[in-house]
Amino acid sequence: YSRLGILQRVKYNLDRRTLQKIYFSFVRPILEYADIIWDNLPEYLVNKIESIQLEAVRIVTGGNRLAPRYLLYKETGWEPLSKRREYHRLIQLHKIYHNLTPDYLSNIIQLQKNQGHIYNTRVTNPLGEINSRTQLYFNSFFPATLRKWNALHQSVQLNPSLSTFKTYMYSKRIKIPNYFYIGTRIGQILHSKLRLECSTLNLHKFQRKLRDSPICNCGEVESTDHFL
């Protein structure tokens, strides 16, 4: 949170793209340091970490706490940190599976390969899953990531190219139009608030129970389309 102070101080002086780069460079790496190890967090801690990124989204877009979470992520194209940790775990397992890591890691996967069944069935799991007696171990790196790995298509698992695997992992990212980044900073904020449904229009205030009616002075609903 202290690092977010950098963004807070310059959020009206720098454009959206620059603010985003500052967050990616100075804040998010701290939130993701060694995240494949500590990903088995309780839900309340997951939400606590995610709240830091949500605050960064509000600073970058100019939105406020009235903006829904799904619209904030749609507006920026960012993934939730929990989803990024899942991607990181699968990328690490891909490296282990294709012997791009030290032997003490690759040998664990080699053992799981030997435990896979040899029968010709419609659905084959190339890696045997690890049995867990405790919930903590069940959600730790190898047991949890192996379950996600076995849900991938076999052609994705067996492709040794790391860059191809990363492209597949991030292929569902939302593409942000270039016009989101142009214009003055104030203009970027005003446009974002219209898309985030947290502007001062009567409809947006009515949806948040901040106004008794969504009707404009002209008698129609004061939506974004009507305002424009």
Side-chain angles (χ1 to χ4, degrees):
Y1 268 115
S2 62
R3 294 257 177 147
L4 287 181
I6 302 173
L7 296 178
Q8 286 281 10
R9 287 193 293 271
V10 297
K11 66 179 180 180
Y12 295 117
N13 305 108
L14 299 179
D15 64 277
R16 174 171 168 166
R17 195 186 300 273
T18 304
L19 291 170
Q20 183 171 277
K21 287 183 178 180
I22 292 174
Y23 171 71
F24 288 167
S25 301
F26 296 103
V27 182
R28 194 169 70 178
I30 298 176
L31 300 176
E32 295 185 334
Y33 181 76
D35 59 356
I36 63 175
I37 302 301
W38 50 261
D39 188 27
N40 56 335
L41 290 172
E43 190 67 22
Y44 80 97
L45 289 178
V46 171
N47 295 333
K48 200 169 185 179
I49 293 176
E50 198 68 41
S51 68
I52 300 175
Q53 173 158 282
L54 287 171
E55 183 62 27
V57 174
R58 296 186 191 101
I59 294 172
V60 170
T61 62
N64 54 43
R65 294 187 179 275
L66 298 177
R69 174 173 170 171
Y70 78 95
L71 284 180
L72 287 169
Y73 279 134
K74 181 180 179 182
E75 173 73 13
T76 56
W78 301 359
E79 300 94 350
L81 293 176
S82 57
K83 178 59 70 173
R84 285 180 56 82
R85 290 195 294 271
E86 179 183 312
Y87 292 163
H88 295 163
R89 287 191 285 110
L90 285 169
I91 290 170
Q92 181 65 24
L93 190 61
H94 180 275
K95 295 178 182 178
I96 297 172
Y97 185 88
H98 292 285
N99 300 316
L100 300 176
T101 57
D103 291 340
Y104 65 85
L105 289 175
S106 300
N107 291 341
I108 297 175
I109 292 301
Q110 190 61 42
L111 179 63
Q112 298 310 120
K113 287 180 182 179
N114 297 334
Q115 291 180 358
H117 61 72
I118 61 174
Y119 303 105
N120 185 17
T121 60
R122 289 184 180 179
V123 180
T124 59
N125 289 341
L127 297 178
E129 296 185 0
I130 298 176
N131 295 325
S132 310
R133 289 185 296 177
T134 64
Q135 191 68 23
L136 184 65
Y137 185 51
F138 182 78
N139 293 325
S140 63
F141 175 76
F142 275 110
T145 311
L146 283 173
R147 293 193 299 273
K148 294 289 185 180
W149 176 268
N150 288 333
L152 298 175
H153 194 276
Q154 197 167 15
S155 61
V156 178
Q157 298 171 343
L158 299 180
N159 191 328
S161 172
L162 181 60
S163 61
T164 302
F165 186 78
K166 287 182 177 180
T167 300
Y168 172 80
M169 284 286 98
Y170 296 113
S171 60
K172 295 182 180 180
R173 277 180 171 172
I174 299 174
K175 305 297 182 183
I176 302 302
N178 286 330
Y179 62 79
F180 278 27
Y181 300 101
I182 64 175
T184 64
R185 177 58 181 158
I186 296 301
Q188 292 175 355
I189 292 174
L190 292 175
H191 290 157
S192 292
K193 285 186 174 182
L194 291 175
R195 292 188 293 265
L196 294 170
E197 300 178 2
C198 64
S199 71
T200 56
L201 296 182
N202 287 342
L203 176 61
H204 296 163
K205 285 193 170 184
F206 177 74
Q207 290 172 340
R208 305 290 176 264
K209 296 181 172 54
L210 298 175
R211 193 171 287 264
D212 296 331
S213 172
I215 303 302
C216 176
N217 293 334
C218 68
E220 297 186 21
V221 174
E222 192 179 52
S223 63
T224 300
D225 289 340
H226 172 71
F227 175 74
L228 294 176

